[in-house]
Amino acid sequence: MTQNTKDMGKPTGFIEYPREDMQKAPVTERVQHYNEFEKPQSEQRVKTQAARCMGCGIPFCNWGCPVSNLIPEFNDFVYKGQWKNAYGTLMSTNNFPEFTGRVCPAPCEPACTASLVEKPISIKQIELSIIEKAFAEGWVKPNNVPYRTGVKIAVIGSGPAGLSAAQQLNLVGHSVTVFEKNDRLGGLLRYGIPDFKLEKWVIDRRVALMEEEGITFKTNAHVGVTISIDELKAEFDYICLCCGAEKPRGLGNIEGADKKGIYFAMEFLSQQNKENHGDQLHPEVKISAKDKHVVILGGGDTGSDCIGTSIRQGAKSVTQIQIHKALPEERYETNPWPLWPKTFATSSSQAEGCERIFSALTTAVKGGDKIEALELQNILWPEGEIKSGQRNYEISGDKYDIPCDLLLISLGFEHTIHEGLVEYLGLEKDKRGNVKIENYRTSDAQIWAAGDMVEGANLIVTAINSGRQMASTLKKFIKAQQSAI
């Protein structure tokens, strides 16, 4: 329920109190380990940050949040010291605020109305403070499921979409089993995000609660490989695919792209996370940045994760290459508030020490059997904002080489993996290669789908919302089917 904005918060708080971000450990300390290095300010300081919420009347932060968090409401509860109410409000829209409070880029913040005249409210910090206080106080308990409907649902994939869908479907009494191909649960959360951003006990803590709620989890269960999809279709009433978008974009036809020492970002990141778990990797398969000149192609969050991991492994140098030009300090006129700002930013990993090269094409990989250098070509972009897919640049100057012993490709993902499950089921795909759905239902009436495999690679919070929406649609469908009998 939306509160009356006249009774909310401190109307002048955003004027009286400056924004305070989460506390970060110094660079020299945090690069020595793989643990999280950010944490919220003290409880009192977080209450002061919540007081900055201005009761604007039309909360664009809510519009900017993919799960439509009731941000002014939980800010007001925190400001007034009503933390348990804040927790209830937060959980009404977001299954896993302990994940998003750590790794979400927080599109709600640049959409904050206060950002028109001041720095935005530190919403992400407040969200994390709420959920962690709730755990500390013992308020977070397994949801009670009073009865079972007899409907059996298989969820394939235990990433954010799969987990949120499983929890929502279980809450209404359906019997849910989650199948995960890897040896541990979490999908991208487990093996795609470094521990220094999300320690994995956070996932284990939530999964334990979901197991108490009655959800069954099966690991090392690769549907279509070690488990027959036909057997699942016979055993379960409905199957929900939440398999992510794992097909990475490669180097294409660049000369030397087949040399040793070139890896996709997720290969590199997942190995380090497994080592952090205590897994022993054979030296012949281990990807190490130690004492190497590391180059990362791509400027997104995954590229930044590669930077931070390379630095912690002891790289000799780390360079990040982006085809696009450096963004401006202020918004383009074509990129107004409350849209996500296309402005220059430095991630926490970039701040730990890397060279950033903008407006550069990779034209060749040089060396013998193994990569030794990368050939680059500078380019010139036209003035103004670069739109998605825009390639109207001009070549500028001569080609040049930079040293490179390890090349990590972080150019995004094309779509979900087609080979295996998608092809075997004969599911229709859209023009981008994603699984085609209509109201989350695939071309196979028994099979539903959500998350990155239908939307393309996106944010964790977007995947959570997609899983929730699929579950809501499927619940209504099941109820209609049962009513028709």
Side-chain angles (χ1 to χ4, degrees):
M1 180 184 295
T2 302
Q3 300 183 62
N4 186 335
T5 56
K6 292 181 180 180
D7 301 324
M8 294 181 66
K10 187 171 187 180
T12 58
F14 74 101
I15 299 173
E16 296 178 35
Y17 308 124
R19 174 185 167 105
E20 285 189 295
D21 291 314
M22 286 199 272
Q23 304 173 74
K24 290 186 177 69
V27 170
T28 53
E29 291 180 13
R30 68 191 196 223
V31 298
Q32 304 300 320
H33 59 76
Y34 291 93
N35 300 324
E36 291 178 18
F37 57 82
E38 274 190 298
K39 65 178 182 179
Q41 300 284 347
S42 68
E43 186 172 311
Q44 183 57 48
R45 295 176 90 92
V46 171
K47 287 176 65 176
T48 301
Q49 289 305 294
R52 298 186 68 243
C53 190
M54 62 195 298
C56 56
I58 302 178
F60 281 90
C61 57
N62 175 267
W63 168 85
C65 174
V67 291
S68 300
N69 275 339
L70 302 174
I71 295 165
E73 284 79 2
F74 67 60
N75 281 343
D76 183 56
F77 282 131
V78 169
Y79 168 60
K80 294 174 179 175
Q82 299 172 17
W83 287 86
K84 196 168 186 179
N85 287 339
Y87 164 64
T89 302
L90 178 58
M91 291 303 297
S92 70
T93 56
N94 186 355
N95 299 67
F96 313 121
E98 67 269 33
F99 301 159
T100 53
R102 286 172 165 84
V103 298
C104 184
C108 53
E109 292 192 8
C112 171
T113 304
S115 68
L116 284 168
V117 292
E118 262 290 348
K119 290 184 178 180
I121 314 306
S122 52
I123 300 167
K124 179 177 173 180
Q125 173 177 208
I126 296 169
E127 177 179 323
L128 182 57
S129 299
I130 293 169
I131 186 61
E132 290 304 329
K133 181 173 177 63
F135 272 110
E137 296 290 340
W139 301 332
V140 185
K141 299 182 185 300
N143 291 299
N144 179 40
V145 182
Y147 69 96
R148 290 292 168 187
T149 63
V151 176
K152 296 178 66 177
I153 300 175
V155 175
I156 302 177
S158 68
L163 291 177
S164 63
Q167 187 169 55
Q168 294 300 109
L169 290 166
N170 181 71
L171 279 172
V172 295
H174 303 319
S175 298
V176 181
T177 302
V178 179
F179 294 85
E180 170 56 52
K181 67 181 179 181
N182 291 311
D183 57 345
R184 299 180 180 93
L185 298 166
L188 176 68
L189 297 166
R190 175 74 62 177
Y191 287 129
I193 297 175
D195 287 17
F196 56 78
K197 291 174 67 174
L198 175 67
E199 292 181 20
K200 302 309 178 266
W201 62 265
V202 178
I203 304 171
D204 298 334
R205 178 178 64 179
R206 177 58 67 176
V207 167
L209 284 166
M210 294 174 70
E211 287 179 320
E212 289 188 61
E213 292 170 357
I215 299 171
T216 300
F217 290 94
K218 294 186 177 182
T219 55
N220 293 310
H222 196 170
V223 177
V225 179
T226 60
I227 293 179
S228 165
I229 184 62
D230 292 323
E231 291 179 6
L232 286 191
K233 292 186 74 174
E235 181 182 354
F236 291 88
D237 299 295
Y238 300 94
I239 296 174
C240 298
L241 302 181
C242 301
C243 306
E246 294 185 317
K247 184 173 176 58
R249 291 192 182 94
L251 291 175
N253 297 321
I254 291 176
E255 179 187 347
D258 58 347
K259 294 186 186 301
K260 295 178 182 178
I262 303 174
Y263 302 93
F264 288 114
M266 283 300 164
E267 296 177 272
F268 175 65
L269 295 173
S270 64
Q271 279 199 2
Q272 184 58 62
N273 283 5
K274 287 179 179 180
E275 284 200 316
N276 293 345
H277 274 298
D279 294 357
Q280 299 296 317
L281 301 178
H282 194 282
E284 291 184 6
V285 300
K286 179 176 169 59
I287 307 168
S288 175
K290 185 173 177 57
D291 297 327
K292 292 178 181 175
H293 295 291
V294 180
V295 176
I296 294 127
L297 293 185
D301 290 337
T302 303
S304 283
D305 293 343
C306 289
I307 293 169
T309 302
S310 296
I311 290 171
R312 283 161 178 75
Q313 288 186 2
K316 187 178 294 183
S317 68
V318 181
T319 305
Q320 186 175 38
I321 311 293
Q322 290 182 243
I323 188 173
H324 290 124
K325 61 185 176 182
L327 292 170
E329 296 291 335
E330 302 293 333
R331 291 176 182 265
Y332 292 109
E333 290 185 3
T334 52
N335 174 227
W337 174 90
L339 299 176
W340 179 262
K342 296 179 180 178
T343 53
F344 188 81
T346 301
S347 72
S348 58
S349 289
Q350 289 166 338
E352 291 169 0
C354 80
E355 181 182 0
R356 301 170 70 181
I357 299 177
F358 298 92
S359 300
L361 288 174
T362 302
T363 51
V365 176
K366 294 185 174 181
D369 282 345
K370 194 175 183 306
I371 184 172
E372 296 175 8
L374 210 59
E375 182 183 82
L376 302 180
Q377 170 72 70
N378 287 337
I379 56 177
L380 287 175
W381 290 94
E383 294 292 321
E385 181 182 355
I386 301 172
K387 300 296 183 181
S388 177
Q390 184 177 335
R391 288 292 183 270
N392 59 330
Y393 50 75
E394 298 178 1
I395 299 300
S396 173
D398 298 327
K399 295 178 181 179
Y400 61 98
D401 294 349
I402 62 170
C404 178
D405 305 311
L406 175 62
L407 178 62
L408 300 174
I409 305 170
S410 180
L411 299 174
F413 299 87
E414 294 183 13
H415 45 64
T416 194
I417 293 174
H418 296 161
E419 297 79 11
L421 198 57
V422 174
E423 288 184 348
Y424 179 81
L425 291 169
L427 300 180
E428 290 184 25
K429 300 181 284 290
D430 63 22
K431 61 182 180 181
R432 296 172 57 200
N434 302 318
V435 171
K436 188 176 181 180
I437 57 170
E438 184 173 349
N439 291 328
Y440 295 97
R441 197 175 182 182
T442 72
S443 53
D444 184 319
Q446 189 183 0
I447 297 179
W448 298 59
D452 289 1
M453 75 181 304
V454 302
E455 299 182 0
N458 211 319
L459 306 177
I460 285 170
V461 67
T462 306
I464 292 172
N465 182 60
S466 183
R468 287 173 62 91
Q469 295 305 315
M470 177 188 66
S472 176
T473 306
L474 178 53
K475 286 186 293 185
K476 293 173 184 175
F477 179 83
I478 293 170
K479 188 174 182 179
Q481 292 293 104
Q482 291 173 334
S483 298
I485 297 174

